Structures are given as C-alpha cells and as structure tokens.
Amino acid sequence: MRLSTYIRIFAAAAATLSATAGAQSWRDISPLQIKGQHFFYRNNGSEFFIKGIAYQRGVESSADEGVEAGGEDPPDPLADPAACRRDVPYMKRLQTNAIRVYAVDPEENHDECMTTLADAGIYVIIDLGLPSVSINRNTPAWNGPLYQRYISVIDAFAKYNHVMGYFAGNEVSNSPNTTAASAFVKAAVRDSKAYIQDQGYTDVGVGYATYDGPIRDNLAQYFVCQDPAERISFWGYNVYSWCGDSDYQRSGYRERVDFFEDYPVPVFFAEYGCNEGGTREFTDVPVLYGPRMTPTFSGGIVYMWFQEENDYGLVNVDGDEVNPRPDFTSLSSQMAKVDPSSTNIDGYTPPSPATSWSDCPSVVTTGPSSAIWLAEASPLPPTPNQELCQCLMDTLDCVSTSNNANSYGRDFNFICGEDPGACAGIAANATTGRYGAYGQCSPQEQLSFVMNRYYQGQSGGAQASACQFNGRASTTSGGSPSGSCSSLINAAGTNGGGNVPQPSGDSSAQASQGGRSTSTSSQGAASGLVVPTFEKGVVFMTLYVVSAAVAGAGMILL
C-alpha cells in the first residue's frame, strides 16, 4: 500500500476520533436545571452562578441606542472553530462559565465550537432572533416566518447539553408606547417552550432580556403572570447603573434585590459593565457574587468580549492574536475575589412568591406616560398554524404572484385604504387582545388574502381588472375547503375575524415560511393594532392608531 494511502487513512481515522471525542464532550457535560430562583447542575445538584461574557461581533449593547430589528445580521461566532479555540483560553482566565450569543445561523455546523466550550465548562445562552428576523418593538408580529426562525435555532442546538437557555427577545419593549410588543414576545415564549417539550428535547428555559428603565416593573410582572405555560423561565436584566466607584445603594442594585426577592424564576444580569469614565474597574463584581445579592440574583454577563467602536471590549483581536485590554485585567482581578455561597438543590427551598406576581398589569391607554401599559394579558397572539395558511391559499380566487417585497407595500396600502374591512383578518390588537385569524401567515399569504377580499368586493366589469395589480396578482381556481381545512376556514370566518383552534401535535409543522420583519418608527402611545405593509424590500408592520371609541371600527394610517 502506498504511503499516501496510509496518510489518507490515518487522517480520516483521526478526524473520526476527534469528532467522536467532541461529541462526547458536549453530551457528557451536565445540563442545568431550574428550581425556584436558581440554576443547578443536574448531575450533582450544586448551584450554578453565571460568570458570563457577551460573545458576538457587531451587536450594540443596550447602553447604546438599543438593539433594533431590521439591521444587518452579525456573523455567527459559534460557527468559527478557530476563533473559539483562540478565545476560550482567555475566557477561562476570567473564570468564565457562560457566554451569551446574540445571533446564530442554524444552517451552520457548531460542533467544534460547542466542543471547545464544553471542554472548558462554558455554557451558552442564545438569542433566538436575528436583527433581520425578530420581534420589533415598533412593529410587532408573531407569525410563521418568525416562529420558523425560532424553532430552527432550537432544533440546531437541542443536542448540546451545555445550552442553558434561550432569549425570546431583547429589549423589545423599551418605552410605554412600545409595551404592546410584549404580548408578541410572550407568545413566542409560550410557543418556544411548547416546542421544546413537544420534541422531547432537554428541558431548557426560554427567557427575556429587558432594559433597565421606567417600565421595568410592569415588564417583570407581565412575563410571569397568569398561565405558567406562557411564563418566562428566567429573567435577564441589561443593567449599566454601577458606574465608576459606585456602591450597592447608589447603583440601584439594592432596589433590584428588594424588588425580586420573591420572584418566581431566576434573575441575572443579561448585560452589565458601565464604561463611563474610562477603564472599567468592575467594583460591582464582588457585590453581585456576594451575600447580599446571591440569594436573589444568579450572576451576570459582562458586555462584551470584542473591542469595537462602542468601547466595551475586554480584548483586542487581530487575526489569531488576542490582546487583553485594561478592562480584562480589572475583571480578572475582581473575579479572583469572588466565591459565592451556594446550596445544593436538595437543601434549597424556593421562597413563596407573593400572590401579586400572578396578577398582570392592567391596560392603561391614557394619562401620564409612566402609567401607560398597552399589552392585554389574554389572549396572546395565536400560535402560527401552517395548515390554516395553506388551506387559505387553496380557497382563494385571487392571489399574489410577486416575490418582490418592494411591491407589497403599495398593494397593502391601496387595498386597506380602499376597503379597510378587507384587512381586518390580518390585523392584530394587543391592547384589546383581538387578532385576525390570518395575521399569523406569511406576508405573501396575508397579501393574497386581502387581494382576494378586494377582488370579491368588486362587481361587473370592475372585477375583471381587480386582480391585476400591474401583473403582481392573478386569478386562480380556488376550491371549497374540505376535511380539516373546512373546519379551519369556517372558524376563521369570511373576513378572517374568527377564532381558529390552536394547532395540535407536532409544532414543527405549523410554521409558515418566508418573510421577515424589520423596523419603522412610532410617535407617542398608541393602541397595539398593526397591519402589514412593506418598504425597502423587507417586511414591516405599519402601526395604526385606534382610539378607544373607534377600536375595531376604523383605522388611521400614520
């Protein structure tokens, strides 16, 4: 046998052994579990405090203008094995045991990075959305394309034992007039948790990361109130209030501990590390992991690893070289001081949550801005149902034929302006809890529904040209629904205003494909009624203002 052949065989065997060893590392590491306010290792029941770092290039912190949907998607850091091998040894010098990743590509292979992290005992928290595919605070939606994005990430990472949880949203509501968006995030939490359970995956949590502002108390209340199936699994705070040589009182840390003393799920800092005044000394670290905070808080995640324009980086990275910055040295020094007191899961009794946590914030649409809350607790937006949307398309006589999203806005705006009733079946009002049956469908399916409604509303010679839209639509031979489609379409109603039963069985079959949500702007508090329109080639939801007196009777386009 030739030497080159031996070399090829040896290389293939080595690669197989390496892959097998890697697979074992992320299978053998103990998953975490939640009990009361804390995380614990499943294998021995010892408590887990998050000593984390935000690990992603090109993502703004909440201390900047805020992470906004519709931006450019940053690269997936868990799909870069060489970078993981380069960075993890430096992370361990900071006692890091967790990272937060804001954007991943479920189509990529993550085995090598996840192996490197597992070997180092580092767990991963993953944001389910992307800047281009996420729930937008000004234009919220929970539809098939978003649901498909969320479950595709869950599918891609379900096999790794050291995924400790997912964030269904990051600072989606950050002002009183964007609180309606929280209903859509809570629906995403509900459906993501249900999907994990339906698939028989390891039971990991789905949480939410919030900003630190005036509506924070209502947000914390809303995401744990009422139905446990809709409740977050953990609560992440993006906190930048300990600046310079602050203290437990002045920073507001004491106030947060008092507020969350009996919160029913774990609470931790999803981002922290104020950078005002130059080099960060991280004098809050011994407090965060000290006896005043560890009974209530489970640690935190420092923002962030890479040095970028916002000046939050712990390291400078140049190719294969990692150069720690002064912030790195400060954090290392502070972490060396901490030794949080922990308890075993068997000896831990969660505090009895106050009954008030089960009460949801009341909807308030007028008055001081600090009192405004626009998200009704129930019902939430429905679980996207692909069967319903497919059944709809099979019954239509006029459908959209254009794949050019630039044209969608003109058509939506024209039809909804000419016949607002045609768009009722795709509208969503989080303030009243009223959702059109077809608002859960993909953008092109929604457009087909309203085109068909407009077409059927014409008569005589006008109908002949009512399904042209300059070549962007065409007539088709829609049939009468039968079987399960018949019950779904009948439940939705002719105008889409009915209540459709929630999908049952395998949740993975329920998500419609295609489309994405991006950002727009909104002025002042408005009720949470949205219908779709489009701009710049991507989908967004244009917000409509509806006064209490005319809600459900008319819409005013901003």
Side-chain angles (χ1 to χ4, degrees), residues 17 35 41 56 63 119 126 219 432 462 480 484 532 546 552:
L17 288 172
K35 181 179 179 181
Y41 291 97
Q56 188 105 39
D119 289 343
I126 301 170
L219 286 169
T432 64
S480 298
S484 60
V546 185

Side-chain angles (χ1 to χ4, degrees), residues 1 45 74 96 107 196 269 295 361 363 452 454 492 547 550:
M1 188 177 291
T96 303
E107 299 300 319
I196 291 169
F269 288 172
V363 169
N452 189 70
Y454 176 76
S547 69
V550 299

Side-chain angles (χ1 to χ4, degrees), residues 336-487:
K337 302 175 184 178
V338 306
D339 184 20
S341 177
S342 63
T343 185
N344 191 275
I345 192 170
D346 293 334
Y348 169 64
T349 301
S352 298
T355 56
S356 60
W357 289 120
S358 63
D359 298 330
C360 295
S362 299
V363 169
V364 178
T365 60
T366 60
S369 62
S370 60
I372 297 296
W373 181 260
L374 301 176
E376 183 58 74
S378 181
L380 295 174
T383 302
N385 187 328
Q386 184 179 28
E387 184 183 7
L388 169 67
C389 301
Q390 290 176 339
C391 290
L392 168 70
M393 296 300 291
D394 290 340
T395 65
L396 301 181
D397 298 317
C398 175
V399 297
S400 166
T401 58
S402 174
N403 293 320
N404 179 10
N406 287 305
S407 66
Y408 289 6
R410 291 196 303 272
D411 297 333
F412 271 119
N413 289 334
F414 169 76
I415 297 169
C416 296
E418 289 288 312
D419 181 9
C423 296
I426 59 171
N429 193 327
T431 303
T432 64
R434 296 176 62 183
Y435 300 95
Y438 298 116
Q440 60 188 284
C441 298
S442 73
Q444 189 170 26
E445 289 165 340
Q446 292 184 45
L447 182 57
S448 294
F449 170 75
V450 300
M451 282 179 166
N452 189 70
R453 292 280 293 160
Y454 176 76
Y455 173 74
Q456 292 180 336
Q458 309 304 309
S459 60
Q463 190 178 55
S465 60
C467 191
Q468 292 182 355
F469 294 94
N470 292 327
R472 296 187 296 274
S474 67
T475 55
T476 185
S477 54
S480 298
S482 60
S484 60
C485 278
S486 179
S487 60

Side-chain angles (χ1 to χ4, degrees), residues 113-322:
C113 264
M114 294 300 281
T115 295
T116 301
L117 292 164
D119 289 343
I122 296 176
Y123 290 75
V124 185
I125 304 175
I126 301 170
D127 287 55
L128 291 171
L130 286 172
S132 65
V133 190
S134 56
I135 300 171
N136 184 286
R137 65 174 64 105
N138 295 312
T139 59
W142 181 238
N143 56 28
L146 287 168
Y147 180 67
Q148 183 62 37
R149 161 67 196 183
Y150 278 44
I151 66 172
S152 68
V153 173
I154 293 170
D155 285 339
F157 286 90
K159 66 181 181 180
Y160 303 114
N161 280 357
H162 54 316
V163 172
M164 63 179 293
Y166 304 98
F167 281 125
N170 182 75
E171 301 192 358
V172 179
S173 294
N174 68 351
S175 62
N177 69 308
T178 59
T179 51
S182 290
F184 298 87
V185 179
K186 197 170 182 180
V189 170
R190 174 201 64 204
D191 293 343
S192 299
K193 288 172 59 178
Y195 182 77
I196 291 169
Q197 184 176 22
D198 289 348
Q199 299 303 305
Y201 292 151
T202 300
D203 184 19
V204 298
V206 180
Y208 179 68
T210 186
Y211 93 124
D212 186 34
I215 62 172
R216 68 187 187 196
D217 291 357
N218 272 345
L219 286 169
Q221 185 91 29
Y222 183 76
F223 278 96
V224 296
C225 69
Q226 291 192 354
D227 189 350
E230 300 170 348
R231 190 174 74 179
I232 54 168
S233 308
F234 49 79
W235 185 248
Y237 245 134
N238 299 335
V239 178
Y240 292 85
S241 60
W242 187 305
C243 299
D245 192 22
S246 189
D247 58 38
Y248 184 57
Q249 184 72 38
R250 287 183 293 147
S251 65
Y253 281 24
R254 177 177 179 176
E255 179 184 353
R256 294 178 183 90
V257 169
D258 290 343
F259 180 79
F260 286 105
E261 183 178 14
D262 60 352
Y263 202 58
V265 300
V267 182
F268 58 90
F269 288 172
E271 292 177 5
Y272 77 101
C274 173
N275 69 348
E276 293 180 7
T279 299
R280 295 183 286 179
E281 298 298 332
F282 291 106
T283 55
D284 53 344
V285 166
V287 177
L288 178 59
Y289 296 96
R292 289 180 290 188
M293 294 192 68
T294 53
T296 303
F297 277 78
S298 294
I301 299 169
V302 172
Y303 188 86
M304 79 163 319
W305 184 248
F306 298 101
Q307 172 65 0
E308 296 184 330
E309 290 184 9
N310 59 15
D311 202 31
Y312 278 90
L314 295 171
V315 300
N316 290 313
V317 176
D318 183 8
D320 295 332
E321 293 186 6
V322 178

